Amino acid sequence: QVQLVESGGGLVQPGGSLRLSCTASGDIYQIYNMGWYRQVPGKQRELVADITDGGRINYAESVKGRFLISRDNAKNTVYLQMNDLKPEDTAVYYCNADLDYFSHGDQMDAWGQGTLVTVSS
């Protein structure tokens, strides 16, 4: 019913930039929180950044000052602008959305399939 589609991952050199996009589609009533998580094999998935429908933003300490999260509510899209990328940013990045589908109260926690970001020289 709800699908999150991510784009923008790829290979970049240290210090480079990428912009990830995630668009939610389907019978969506309202998206409350959207965020980006990342995971490296052998490590826990971690929150990178999230943003509520009201604009409250959280960043992981490791990305503060380098990454910017934003959303376009009209497009059901969340973005992650990643600047000054470091090798340790290499991970699969997953889009997440806490939303109601169809009507208020039909809550689900939706995930994208992930997009790989590789930071390497």
Side-chain angles (χ1 to χ4, degrees), residues 15-87:
S17 297
L18 284 174
R19 191 189 194 203
L20 305 182
S21 299
C22 171
T23 298
S25 62
D27 195 4
I28 298 169
Y29 181 79
Q30 185 172 348
I31 303 176
Y32 300 106
N33 191 56
M34 302 187 80
W36 292 93
Y37 291 72
R38 66 187 182 188
Q39 189 167 26
V40 177
K43 295 185 64 178
Q44 295 281 329
R45 185 177 299 181
E46 66 173 351
L47 174 69
V48 178
D50 63 6
I51 180 169
T52 71
D53 54 338
R56 178 183 288 183
I57 295 173
N58 294 307
Y59 291 105
E61 186 66 30
S62 60
V63 308
K64 286 182 178 178
R66 299 188 297 119
F67 290 11
L68 293 170
I69 190 169
S70 61
R71 63 188 283 175
D72 186 334
N73 293 332
K75 296 181 179 180
N76 290 332
T77 298
V78 63
Y79 306 94
L80 185 68
Q81 178 66 46
M82 303 183 294
N83 301 313
D84 192 24
L85 283 160
K86 303 177 183 296

Side-chain angles (χ1 to χ4, degrees), residues 10-14 18 37-41 43 46 48 63 66-67 82 85-93 115-121:
L11 173 65
V12 295
Q13 296 186 165
L18 284 174
Y37 291 72
R38 66 187 182 188
Q39 189 167 26
V40 177
K43 295 185 64 178
E46 66 173 351
V48 178
V63 308
R66 299 188 297 119
F67 290 11
M82 303 183 294
L85 283 160
K86 303 177 183 296
E88 51 263 42
D89 295 318
T90 296
V92 177
Y93 284 71
T115 184
L116 177 63
V117 172
T118 302
V119 185
S120 176
S121 59

